[in-house]
Amino acid sequence: MIPNRAATTPDERNRVPHRVSTTWWTLGLPAVVLAVCGTLALAWRSELPEPLAAHWGPQGVDGTSSFVGLVLPVIGATGLLSVGMWAVGFFLGRPAMTRRLANAMAAWFAVFLAGVLLGVLAAQRGVADAAHAGDIDRALTLGAALATASAVAIALLTPEDAPHSTAAPIPADAPTVPLANSEQITWVRAVGQRSGPGIALAVLTFSAVLGATTRQWPLAIVLALVLGPMLIAELRWTVTVDRNGLTARSGLRWPTLHVPLDEVERAEVVTVRPLRDFGGFGLRIGLDGRTGAVLRKGPALQVHRTGGRVVVVTVDDAETGAAVLNTLASRAR
Amino acid sequence: MLFRIDPSAPEPLFAQLSAQVRSAVARGDLSAGERLPAGRDLAGSLEVNLHTVLRAYQDLRDEGLLELRRGRGAVISERAAQDYRPLHAAIATVVATSRCLGLAPETTTALLKEALR
């Protein structure tokens, strides 16, 4: 997947940047969170009933566990997820998007699991019998909110990709279009869901079912009002190739994928199998480290970017898009 | 949709743009309901004045090819995406006849332009 034609040496090209930062955010921070959580849990241990309430059903507590049986799985799960995210960021983290996702996910799981554990324990401090443990709904909500806030903050703190331009010519066998020196050219293409009414209907049905089953009608209505327009905008992307390079942006203009012209090594057409290559749809990271806006299966525009990065956008008429990108990049060299 | 303009060509830039949308619709590359890029985006991409793009869009709207709606951008109209097949067939006949008679392409287009007036 990594082009051999780049002017940089293999070592320089293959090096994954910001490995120290990735290691800190995916392993260091979760370790700190776990240490704080573990210290608190141990400090509270003498005030806790044995066995502890470990599961809540509609009628309150319906499952118990020992102290170790409750704490150990949380530590184990956080550790496993952190190591997994570390591996993603450490080995595949050439694009900032991959590092950002790995860092944010590791933080989210660590904070959420620690928060839930502390919430569960706090609800039964000073309680003699696990059956009388307090409610943990608020702890769950608070844990999720804290986890999301940490994930967003860490995503913002994740180092961006440094500009990495190349002067290497576009390979001669790459597709191009004829273009006069005085000409300006732009290729624009929309991709994704066109059926606004269809999505609206699906969201309304989902909200109605949710409202009817949970009786939380205000929540269901807010969800429909927010989710509907958001989905309609986010499932429709516009792909542009112009003098700035390749830009793929969703209807709300965020998220956006951008490859500057001077970082394009070459563009080509590939076939994308969303589930097999990217594990699903949306803004994705592939197992091979490619990042992509995957909105449907089939032909896609693939760009080899400097620094060993590969960006994929599923879009119709990708042949023209790739050819125009190669042509513009070639002219700018 | 591919947009290309040549500032060194004699044809005004807005006319170059609108001509490309017209032929893309006629070829079937653009279908009804499809959205053209926002004027600001296209102007930025092609390094032309926003008013150049808007002028092209307004011309296309006046011809009934585009619908310009506030907040929805420029959308290819239902009317624009009619069936062009009979026209393509007729053009093929014109081309074949013109070749058969050994006419210069300019002569044929001049005659066509004259007839369309």
Side-chain angles (χ1 to χ4, degrees):
Chain A
M1 296 311 332
I2 295 158
N4 291 316
R5 302 173 175 111
T8 47
T9 63
D11 285 338
E12 191 191 328
R13 199 176 62 227
N14 289 329
R15 212 176 67 85
V16 175
H18 303 296
R19 280 183 155 162
V20 175
S21 138
T22 298
T23 304
W24 156 248
W25 289 122
T26 53
L27 295 180
L29 182 82
V32 169
V33 170
L34 278 187
V36 170
C37 169
T39 311
L40 269 176
L42 282 175
W44 292 349
R45 190 170 184 180
S46 56
E47 308 166 40
L48 297 171
E50 184 78 32
L52 281 155
H55 196 270
W56 278 254
Q59 268 79 49
V61 177
D62 64 0
T64 59
S65 158
S66 68
F67 179 81
V68 173
L70 198 62
V71 173
L72 221 51
V74 170
I75 294 177
T78 308
L80 265 173
L81 284 162
S82 299
V83 170
M85 288 302 122
W86 171 80
V88 168
F90 195 86
F91 295 110
L92 304 177
R94 287 182 188 91
M97 178 184 139
T98 305
R99 298 192 298 273
R100 196 173 289 135
L101 189 91
N103 294 351
M105 292 264 280
W108 197 92
F109 280 118
V111 173
F112 180 69
L113 290 175
V116 169
L117 177 65
L118 287 181
V120 165
L121 296 181
Q124 33 199 328
R125 284 175 75 192
V127 175
D129 183 356
H132 299 121
D135 206 41
I136 58 154
D137 284 357
R138 267 177 61 195
L140 280 176
T141 316
L142 195 68
L146 260 176
T148 306
S150 322
V152 169
I154 284 158
L156 292 173
L157 286 171
T158 300
E160 279 292 340
D161 286 343
H164 186 162
S165 66
T166 175
I170 302 292
D173 59 350
T176 52
V177 291
L179 184 69
N181 269 332
S182 55
E183 268 186 304
Q184 288 284 6
I185 193 167
T186 295
W187 179 78
V188 188
R189 198 84 202 196
V191 62
Q193 286 299 327
R194 269 183 88 171
S195 53
I199 299 169
L201 189 71
V203 169
L204 281 178
T205 314
F206 174 75
S207 299
V209 170
L210 188 79
T213 49
T214 63
R215 304 267 150 216
Q216 302 275 340
W217 282 104
L219 180 80
I221 289 166
V222 169
L223 201 69
L225 289 179
V226 175
L227 200 64
M230 239 177 80
L231 267 182
I232 290 171
E234 291 297 304
L235 292 177
R236 185 94 179 135
W237 285 55
T238 305
V239 185
T240 307
V241 173
D242 63 10
R243 63 202 176 90
N244 299 315
L246 167 76
T247 310
R249 59 164 70 99
S250 66
L252 296 176
R253 296 194 167 237
W254 188 90
T256 290
L257 267 184
H258 179 63
V259 182
L261 215 49
D262 62 356
E263 296 191 0
V264 172
E265 286 177 343
R266 87 191 131 101
E268 63 205 3
V269 180
V270 293
T271 303
V272 166
R273 299 154 301 180
L275 290 177
R276 205 184 298 177
D277 298 342
F278 289 94
F281 294 87
L283 204 53
R284 291 262 152 190
I285 298 166
L287 270 178
D288 49 8
R290 292 188 290 175
T291 50
V294 181
L295 298 149
R296 57 149 177 73
K297 70 172 184 177
L301 172 54
Q302 173 162 289
V303 182
H304 291 265
R305 187 180 181 179
T306 51
R309 294 166 290 179
V310 181
V311 177
V312 179
V313 180
T314 60
V315 62
D316 295 341
D317 193 22
E319 293 83 6
T320 309
V324 172
L325 190 55
N326 284 327
T327 307
L328 286 172
S330 193
R331 185 160 81 172
R333 299 283 145 84
Chain B
M1 167 81 204
L2 198 60
F3 296 93
R4 56 201 304 168
I5 52 160
D6 190 346
S8 70
E11 206 183 352
L13 295 178
F14 73 86
Q16 294 183 27
L17 276 179
S18 53
Q20 281 165 26
V21 175
R22 257 178 240 121
S23 52
V25 169
R27 278 197 313 268
D29 287 356
L30 282 174
S31 47
E34 237 171 290
R35 199 175 306 184
L36 293 183
R40 195 162 30 90
D41 291 342
L42 189 55
S45 291
L46 293 170
E47 253 185 312
V48 298
N49 196 293
L50 170 61
H51 296 288
T52 306
V53 177
L54 294 184
R55 171 81 192 271
Y57 281 8
Q58 274 153 17
D59 284 359
L60 292 165
R61 181 195 56 193
D62 294 345
E63 292 163 25
L65 245 69
L66 266 187
E67 287 167 29
L68 295 179
R69 279 187 230 141
R70 193 172 270 279
R72 274 210 65 201
V75 180
I76 302 294
S77 66
E78 289 292 334
R79 218 206 79 187
Q82 54 181 291
D83 194 352
Y84 282 85
R85 267 174 302 182
L87 186 61
H88 285 303
I91 288 173
T93 313
V94 169
V95 170
T97 315
S98 149
R99 288 228 173 95
C100 185
L101 295 173
L103 292 178
E106 290 75 20
T107 314
T108 314
T109 47
L111 284 169
L112 255 180
K113 271 190 182 161
E114 196 71 27
L116 284 168
R117 250 186 214 133

